[in-house]
Amino acid sequence: MGRGVGSRSGGGAAQPPWHSLPDEVWEHAFSFLPAAADRGAAAGACRGWLRAERRSRRRLAVANCYATSPRDAVERFPSVRAAEVKGKPHFADFGLVPPAWGAEAAPWVAAAADGWPLLEELSFKRMVVTDECLEMIAASFRNFQVLRLVSCEGFSTAGLAAITEGCRNLRELDLQENYIEDCSSHWLSSFPESFTSLETLNFSCLDGEVNFAVLERLVTRCHNLKTLKLNNAIPLDKVASLLRKAPHIVELGTGKFSADYHPDLFAKLEAAFAGCKSLRRLSGAWDAVPDYLSAFYGVCEGLTSLNLSYATVRGPELIKFISRCKNLQQLWVMDLIEDHGLAVVASTCSKLQELRVFPSDPFGAGQVLLTERGLVDVSASCPMLESVLYFCRRMTNEALITIAKNRPNFTCFRLCILEPRTPDYITQQSLDAGFSAIVESCKGLRRLSVSGLLTDLVFKSIGEHADRLEMLSIAFAGNSDLGLHYILSGCKSLKKLEIRDCPFGNKPLLANAAKLETMRSLWMSSCSLTLGACRQLAQKMPRLTVEIMNDPGRACPLDALPDESPVEKLYVYRTIAGPRSDTPDYVQIV
Amino acid sequence: MSANSGDSPAVSGLDYDDTALDLTLALPGSDHASRVAAATTERALAVGWPPVRAYRRNALRDGDAGGASCRLVKVAADGAPYLRKVDLAAHGGYAALLRALHAMFAICGADGQEDAGSGIGSGRLVDAATGAEYVPTYEDRDGDWMLVGDVPWRMFVESCKRIRLMKSSEADNLAPRPSSQ
């Protein structure tokens, strides 16, 4: 309908023929570009493409809810059908962000209700979602299909009831690790008897009991149900009953899966699992149930994903189970698996792509026999391994160098040595050499978390070599400002940087202020920053929001404080929306 | 980080020979060895370290990982000669707890089925031998006697100090529960 603007390269030159193509043609062409980055690049080519691209954008991912105002986002992309919005900084997961910080979903839901009536999918991560939000979602989008809430809080089962009652075309209700208040509201019963479209139901994070009879009827009539993740309140025999009603299930979360051994129950479970020929993904908070594990040996060979990160199963039974899972691509376990368990994984799971090993006793002294050996074995034998999260108590440079040599294809490497500043336990040296080997070898590395004893030198390597690195997490590391300077002056692709308890000060921050605008966000806590530098940064870079967090309960106005005042927590992010207006007392925008 | 006993301020009543002034972040009165242990582990003092999600940390605490946590509380049944103990952390919910209490006191449930939907509103326990009805109650952190089943399970596990199976005739003093549908 519109003509594109003429090419800038020549005032009198004839326009290329495609400039006269109507926008609809471009919109159709752009629909074949799924990746947001590609669409963004296309939109930057000329005004015509900008117009066509924004009108045809169907999926929108807002990685920082404060980077833009909801109204602007909705106005700019009027045809969005699926939106994902993320809120609080990542370190909020570990309790570093006090409550009531912000990241309310309400303004987004309100803007969407006005501007995206055809919205089908909504996903919120680390945001505050209220029951009113859920009620508004249920009331505003007649074709609403997918609701995904990850690490959110602020809502109750009453809000869920509004969704289940009001969203007639709901396909997915996916609740991951949220804090949900249990109002004993019968959200499950609020699905109408005529409702059959459910494909995904995940209520594993819900604490309360659910009406099993209602659940069973729901599962029975939803023939397309592919993903079912139960909570811990569902007893084992009921799990068996549900599986008989939904044998086409692809992903199952079993809940607690705990009961005293009984041969009848065993037989029931074995039969139920034998019928699940499509089961590929399995998870559950298995509570030391060795007696029942063999009941589902039958599904092991088909499994591509196994999440036992909340399971306290250990020892030979766990290993026997895993040794049958030859096709695993994704494995999440606790360190109860120990080195010899990982050795079995290494020799069994040749298709493994992602491994996460969580600590079973993060605050204790630790008797578990998981060391660097386990990771070395898996890296040596699993050629497709590209993503690792590994919590352990000791590490050596030699192990890291070996790992780097064996697996140059890592895209995500997160190592957490539990005790801060732990050196190479054999040489007592820093782990600079080990992590340097990782970044030098793994040219495609996009995410890195470092730990152990580290000097500024490791950051020199990271700055120089980690060209594709997008997210870097640093804690208890470095000696001086140089460390931070190496990172900010290097790391070409850096988007998110989060730092805690490092001796990094004002100078590198100010010297690299421009870098911050090329990044999504920077978090620094318990470092050596002062208020004066933050003021300078804010003044220099008007398109950044510079947030400072004081102790809640000590809401001292910033203007009264001198430049030398230490800054405990700093959160800086780029934004086109200007400073936000919903800050609590303890957050000050400089 | 212990101060030399010679430098201690002149506070009367303290025996400086025995108690070194340890400037660690531990409660007064805890023994010296544990204070030293606490001070040397930076991990124990750093907020949010190790980087384990709060959700996962809570789940580990409740889930009896490696046998580290358990919530044993005393259970008294009116008329029984001695008390029992039950581990709240070992059960997934009210239904499981009631089953355990049945087994302990050889009392049958009011109805044989497990109807999770109605919570334990109908969860009066009946002694098969005498026909006497019992109502499960518990003492919470504030010292109040509450009816078992009103609050979410996890909240109950946190706040329950002990359980009493009260004879139903006595339990009539407690406020009537709204009927659950």
Side-chain angles (χ1 to χ4, degrees):
Chain A
M1 286 223 309
R3 279 173 181 266
V5 175
S7 149
R8 289 199 213 155
S9 60
Q15 286 183 17
W18 54 81
H19 271 253
S20 57
L21 288 173
D23 279 1
E24 291 92 352
V25 176
W26 292 117
E27 288 175 29
H28 181 70
F30 293 147
S31 68
F32 292 99
L33 289 177
D38 291 337
R39 296 193 70 118
C46 66
R47 271 199 277 266
W49 281 23
L50 174 66
R51 200 171 52 232
E53 196 283 316
R54 49 172 280 259
R55 285 212 291 248
S56 64
R57 181 86 74 112
R58 287 279 187 271
R59 306 195 73 89
L60 186 66
V62 182
N64 174 7
C65 65
Y66 290 119
T68 172
S69 87
R71 302 260 157 211
D72 281 348
V74 171
E75 219 178 86
R76 181 174 160 114
F77 300 106
S79 311
V80 162
R81 297 276 189 273
E84 175 190 10
V85 187
K86 297 186 187 174
K88 300 183 208 170
H90 176 231
F91 275 0
D93 281 352
F94 314 128
L96 289 178
V97 175
W101 177 81
E104 308 252 342
W108 287 91
V109 177
D114 282 344
W116 292 333
L118 299 178
L119 190 68
E120 295 170 0
E121 292 184 27
L122 207 45
S123 175
F124 289 120
K125 183 169 183 179
R126 257 181 241 115
M127 293 186 73
V128 176
V129 179
T130 59
D131 283 346
E132 287 75 35
C133 287
L134 297 178
E135 284 157 22
M136 192 181 267
I137 290 171
S140 311
F141 310 112
R142 58 182 163 80
N143 196 25
F144 197 71
Q145 297 175 25
V146 173
L147 180 65
R148 193 172 302 119
L149 301 175
V150 181
S151 298
C152 294
E153 51 173 348
F155 62 103
S156 75
T157 47
L160 288 181
I163 295 286
T164 56
E165 187 178 11
C167 301
R168 295 303 156 106
N169 296 318
L170 197 68
R171 281 190 295 112
E172 292 186 27
L173 180 59
D174 190 359
L175 307 169
Q176 298 178 29
E177 300 196 347
N178 303 290
Y179 287 100
I180 306 177
E181 208 187 310
D182 188 7
C183 291
S184 297
S185 174
H186 296 264
W187 63 277
L188 204 54
S189 320
S190 297
F191 280 118
E193 285 298 323
S194 56
F195 173 81
T196 59
S197 49
L198 207 59
E199 294 172 18
T200 293
L201 179 62
N202 174 8
F203 61 96
S204 50
C205 60
L206 215 61
D207 269 338
E209 312 257 343
V210 296
N211 186 323
F212 183 75
V214 170
L215 176 62
E216 201 170 33
R217 280 202 303 277
L218 180 70
V219 167
T220 308
R221 69 180 185 268
C222 292
H223 300 297
N224 288 328
L225 193 67
K226 296 280 185 299
T227 295
L228 180 63
K229 294 174 97 165
L230 309 169
N231 69 355
N232 288 345
I234 309 275
L236 207 47
D237 57 331
K238 304 288 198 234
V239 175
S241 308
L242 285 172
L243 284 179
R244 278 202 310 276
K245 301 290 196 307
H248 309 295
I249 210 102
V250 174
E251 175 162 14
L252 174 70
T254 63
K256 199 105 190 162
F257 209 73
S258 169
D260 294 328
Y261 180 77
H262 201 278
D264 283 354
L265 182 50
F266 183 95
K268 257 175 110 174
L269 274 173
E270 199 175 27
F273 273 104
C276 296
K277 305 270 189 266
S278 311
L279 191 60
R280 297 285 170 268
R281 305 169 64 89
L282 187 60
S283 60
W286 301 350
D287 197 10
V289 283
D291 297 325
Y292 286 110
L293 282 186
S294 48
F296 45 107
Y297 277 172
V299 302
C300 289
E301 190 146 347
L303 289 182
T304 57
S305 166
L306 185 59
N307 179 355
L308 299 179
S309 62
Y310 288 99
T312 55
V313 203
R314 42 159 90 214
E317 288 78 21
L318 171 62
I319 294 175
K320 254 190 270 172
F321 186 86
I322 292 185
S323 66
R324 289 163 176 261
C325 300
K326 302 189 182 355
N327 290 306
L328 272 189
Q329 295 168 15
Q330 181 186 62
L331 175 63
W332 293 18
V333 274
M334 293 233 258
D335 55 6
L336 302 169
I337 194 171
E338 301 188 348
D339 281 343
H340 63 97
L342 285 179
V344 172
V345 171
S347 58
T348 307
C349 308
S350 56
K351 304 197 183 148
L352 195 67
Q353 295 171 20
E354 180 183 327
L355 174 69
R356 295 195 192 187
V357 182
F358 293 91
S360 55
D361 189 15
F363 306 106
Q367 307 291 321
V368 175
L369 296 170
L370 182 94
T371 68
E372 77 281 6
R373 278 293 322 282
L375 188 55
V376 170
D377 284 344
V378 177
S379 318
S381 308
C382 299
M384 295 163 56
L385 187 68
E386 59 175 44
S387 174
V388 163
L389 169 63
Y390 200 76
F391 284 83
C392 61
R393 291 189 150 82
R394 67 179 210 199
M395 187 52 58
T396 63
N397 282 309
E398 186 183 344
L400 284 171
I401 291 168
T402 307
I403 290 167
K405 202 161 54 133
N406 283 325
R407 285 283 68 74
N409 49 325
F410 275 136
T411 54
C412 170
F413 188 78
R414 294 190 281 164
L415 179 67
C416 178
I417 302 169
L418 288 168
E419 185 69 37
R421 304 200 186 91
T422 303
D424 177 322
Y425 78 94
I426 292 183
T427 65
Q428 296 307 312
Q429 307 227 308
S430 78
L431 291 173
D432 290 350
F435 279 105
S436 298
I438 293 281
V439 294
E440 282 166 38
S441 167
C442 306
K443 311 244 186 275
L445 197 66
R446 291 200 295 271
R447 187 166 178 185
L448 176 67
S449 297
V450 296
S451 58
L453 183 65
L454 295 168
T455 73
D456 289 340
L457 287 178
V458 75
F459 300 116
K460 185 163 194 273
S461 298
I462 295 175
E464 268 174 30
H465 296 280
D467 284 344
R468 302 259 183 87
L469 193 66
E470 295 176 4
M471 183 166 174
L472 178 60
S473 307
I474 307 172
F476 302 102
N479 312 113
S480 74
D481 285 352
L482 262 186
L484 181 56
H485 179 69
Y486 285 137
I487 298 290
L488 290 179
S489 57
C491 293
K492 297 194 192 118
S493 310
L494 197 62
K495 291 207 189 122
K496 273 167 70 168
L497 180 59
E498 45 186 29
I499 302 173
R500 60 164 295 172
D501 292 275
C502 297
F504 299 150
N506 301 326
K507 280 213 233 73
L509 199 62
L510 290 171
N512 295 285
K515 170 81 170 176
L516 297 181
E517 220 179 77
T518 69
M519 291 165 51
R520 189 184 307 157
S521 66
L522 166 70
W523 168 283
M524 285 179 72
S525 58
S526 304
C527 297
S528 310
L529 298 174
T530 65
L531 188 51
C534 297
R535 285 178 171 138
Q536 274 185 275
L537 180 65
Q539 205 181 35
K540 220 170 156 183
M541 312 290 304
R543 281 194 294 250
L544 294 180
T545 291
V546 179
E547 289 192 17
I548 292 182
M549 266 177 258
N550 301 320
D551 261 327
R554 240 198 343 123
C556 180
L558 265 191
D559 312 330
L561 294 172
D563 279 350
E564 305 79 47
S565 319
V567 166
E568 175 55 28
K569 290 178 185 159
L570 171 74
Y571 185 50
V572 180
Y573 51 90
R574 66 180 173 193
T575 178
I576 57 174
R580 62 181 174 119
S581 52
D582 61 351
T583 51
D585 280 342
Y586 60 86
V587 172
Q588 318 239 16
I589 296 183
V590 179
Chain B
M1 283 179 67
S2 54
N4 201 320
S5 56
D7 295 339
S8 349
V11 179
S12 63
L14 282 175
D15 187 351
Y16 295 115
D17 293 330
D18 291 349
T19 19
L21 253 182
D22 240 31
L23 300 176
T24 59
L25 295 180
L27 296 171
S30 49
D31 81 89
H32 182 80
S34 66
R35 266 183 284 155
V36 169
T40 51
T41 311
E42 187 160 4
R43 170 176 13 128
L45 304 176
V47 173
W49 187 266
V52 173
R53 276 196 188 166
Y55 182 89
R56 178 173 293 279
R57 232 180 295 140
N58 293 336
L60 282 181
R61 207 182 53 220
D62 298 342
D64 195 37
S69 72
C70 79
R71 288 275 295 124
L72 284 169
V73 297
K74 287 185 192 165
V75 186
D78 288 355
Y82 45 79
L83 278 63
R84 300 292 302 271
K85 267 206 164 162
V86 69
D87 181 4
L88 298 179
H91 301 284
Y94 286 116
L97 176 65
L98 269 191
R99 283 197 294 272
L101 294 177
H102 297 177
M104 258 182 204
F105 291 97
I107 297 170
C108 303
D111 43 70
Q113 312 125 336
E114 286 143 55
D115 186 0
S118 58
I120 61 151
S122 59
R124 298 193 162 216
L125 309 175
V126 178
D127 187 332
T130 66
E133 263 196 2
Y134 293 83
V135 174
T137 64
Y138 71 102
E139 185 184 6
D140 73 357
R141 273 213 204 103
D142 302 326
D144 298 317
W145 283 94
M146 316 280 294
L147 197 60
V148 170
D150 281 342
V151 300
W153 172 250
R154 224 175 243 165
M155 203 183 285
F156 167 72
V157 172
E158 296 281 303
S159 59
C160 172
K161 275 174 43 190
R162 55 193 162 127
I163 294 177
R164 176 181 163 201
L165 300 182
M166 197 180 274
K167 275 236 174 72
S168 133
S169 44
E170 275 195 52
D172 290 342
N173 290 332
L174 294 171
R177 292 194 64 221
S179 58
S180 34
Q181 60 283 38

